[in-house]
């Protein structure tokens, strides 16, 4: 059981380090270095917003919803 806790802790630590490295590469490095994890996250969040703000809605309604895409994706 102790080995399982160690393994889970190690996997959690690796995930945390990967997320921090991705955030630094995206927001701190000048000219923004491309990061696959960030790219996937932005695409998934955009798909969610596209479900709500589908093309059949009027422009004003889509614009109101998509105005929140940037801030939500950055969080």
């Amino acid at each position: 059981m102790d080995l399982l806790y160690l393994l889970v802790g190690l996997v959690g630590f690796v995930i945390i380090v990967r997320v921090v490295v991705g955030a630094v590469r995206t927001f701190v490095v000048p000219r923004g270095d491309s990061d696959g994890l960030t790219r996937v996250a932005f695409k998934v969040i955009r798909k969610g917003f596209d479900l709500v703000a589908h093309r059949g809605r009027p422009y004003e309604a889509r614009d109101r919803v998509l105005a929140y895409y940037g801030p939500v994706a950055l969080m």
Side-chain angles (χ1 to χ4, degrees):
M1 195 60 135
D2 290 336
L3 182 61
L4 182 62
Y5 286 143
L6 179 64
L7 183 62
V8 169
L10 185 62
V11 168
F13 179 74
V14 168
I15 290 171
I16 290 170
V17 168
R18 179 64 183 96
V19 168
V20 169
V21 167
V24 169
R25 288 180 66 185
T26 301
F27 299 113
V28 178
V29 174
R31 294 181 306 279
D33 197 6
S34 181
D35 186 69
L37 182 63
T38 305
R39 189 177 319 110
V40 168
F42 273 79
K43 284 183 178 183
V44 168
I45 293 167
R46 179 59 191 244
K47 293 287 185 191
F49 272 84
D50 285 343
L51 288 174
V52 176
H54 55 85
R55 296 211 181 261
R57 294 182 73 171
Y59 173 79
E60 293 80 13
R62 290 189 70 217
D63 187 53
R64 271 194 308 276
V65 172
L66 292 176
Y68 291 97
Y69 167 66
V72 167
L74 288 175
M75 294 248 216

